Amino acid sequence: MKWRIGDVTVTKIVEMEVTGGSRFILPQATYEEILPISWLQPHFADERGRLKMSIHALVVEAPGRRIVVDTCLGNDKEGRRIPTWNNLNLPFLADLAAAGFARESIDTVLCTHLHVDHVGWNTMLEGGKWVPTFPKARYLMGRVEFAHWREAHERPDMAAVFADSVKPVHDAGLVDLVETDHKISDEISLVPTIGHTPGHVSVLIKSKGEEALITGDFMHHPCQIARPHWCSAPDSDPEMGQRTRERMLAELSSRPVLVIGTHFAGATAGRIVKDGDTYRMDV
């Protein structure tokens, strides 16, 4: 799946897709609450009201740049809170190469935040050691985000994630710590969308009068477009997360922006429009 925004192209590389089993992320999204939001079918929910979600990376090609936004779960990782995310053996790198993106050709890796499903392929297991998957890339991470998770001793699962997917690229000298409004290129910049984590960012693309936004996790699922008060269980500051969603949805509905969801399955991208007292996504 591919989208063009002026001179920029965004390509979706799927690691895994699931239907159902997502109540642990969005506890308010019961089948009974989802079914009345009819526009969620067929891309984002099934006929029973089960949510469809995706874990994927987005490759952004801009003039002179090749950027991977978020690197999914990764293979061979252990100590994950979700048991089925341990010791994966998925063809993500082969799929990336088949799409025309050999890992050595990536010049930038951008992590919208440092949760487990956004940093996994930062590293790969080689000779019993975690080594950078993208050896020629600079890895961009938020300064606040990095500092927070480096000291987050109350989350043993995040300690494992930091140790195998963040620290090795930092120790290799490949990490650039950036601010939440960092400009990557003429076409690509970061937008602070705090709440899900302390340093969470989204990615704004502007080229030739066209705009797109890669969400990260300020919205996990399109149901939060219709119900912005539904907070994700992993949100570090749920109240801030809700305020961020409300602000971003108001902004995005006011102009033609292609919104590309970091965990949105199916069509994945569309435009936010007003829908009575709330919003919907037209794909």
Side-chain angles (χ1 to χ4, degrees), residues 6-249:
D7 289 330
V8 178
T9 300
V10 180
T11 304
K12 173 185 172 185
I13 308 293
V14 175
E15 185 183 45
M16 70 167 65
E17 292 183 342
V18 296
T19 299
S22 52
R23 196 71 57 78
F24 72 97
I25 298 175
L26 289 164
Q28 292 166 291
T30 64
Y31 301 163
E32 295 76 19
E33 292 289 340
I34 291 299
L35 282 174
I37 311 173
S38 58
W39 60 265
L40 291 176
Q41 296 185 36
H43 295 288
F44 310 123
D46 70 5
E47 68 283 353
R48 290 173 49 191
R50 297 182 301 173
L51 300 186
K52 298 179 180 182
M53 298 188 74
S54 173
I55 297 177
H56 52 256
L58 294 162
V59 182
V60 180
E61 295 176 276
R65 303 299 298 265
R66 183 170 277 190
I67 303 164
V68 173
V69 179
D70 290 331
T71 62
C72 307
L73 289 162
N75 282 355
D76 304 307
K77 304 292 168 89
E78 297 181 339
R80 282 17 184 181
R81 184 183 292 189
I82 309 302
T84 54
W85 290 357
N86 285 291
N87 297 303
L88 294 174
N89 182 21
L90 298 172
F92 176 81
L93 287 183
D95 293 343
L96 189 70
F101 308 113
R103 61 189 184 90
E104 296 84 3
S105 72
I106 303 299
D107 60 69
T108 307
V109 173
L110 169 65
C111 300
T112 61
H113 59 300
L114 299 183
H115 276 170
V116 55
D117 50 332
H118 297 261
V119 300
W121 279 108
N122 285 355
T123 60
M124 56 189 287
L125 195 59
E126 193 172 85
K129 290 185 176 182
W130 296 111
V131 300
T133 303
F134 304 98
K136 297 182 180 179
R138 301 302 301 177
Y139 286 69
L140 306 186
M141 301 177 184
R143 189 181 307 279
V144 170
E145 186 78 2
F146 183 89
H148 174 78
W149 292 117
R150 183 174 53 188
E151 304 300 329
H153 303 300
E154 76 284 0
R155 287 280 304 270
D157 60 312
M158 277 301 300
V161 171
F162 196 91
D164 61 36
S165 299
V166 178
K167 189 175 184 293
V169 290
H170 185 265
D171 289 350
L174 298 181
V175 171
D176 293 330
L177 298 179
V178 300
E179 307 307 323
T180 55
D181 60 353
H182 179 71
K183 185 172 183 178
I184 298 173
S185 71
D186 288 343
E187 300 84 8
I188 304 165
S189 57
L190 305 185
V191 176
T193 44
I194 312 301
H196 180 57
T197 64
H200 187 279
V201 297
S202 301
V203 185
L204 182 64
I205 301 168
K206 289 186 175 183
S207 179
K208 291 191 170 178
E210 299 181 9
E211 284 187 71
L213 183 89
I214 297 172
T215 60
D217 283 2
F218 83 85
M219 298 186 293
H220 268 93
H221 187 275
C223 68
Q224 292 173 287
I225 297 170
R227 306 288 186 265
H229 60 287
W230 287 0
C231 295
S232 301
D235 288 352
S236 64
D237 186 338
E239 291 184 4
M240 177 64 78
Q242 179 178 337
R243 290 197 296 271
T244 292
R245 269 189 302 284
E246 291 169 346
R247 171 178 58 84
M248 292 300 294
L249 288 168

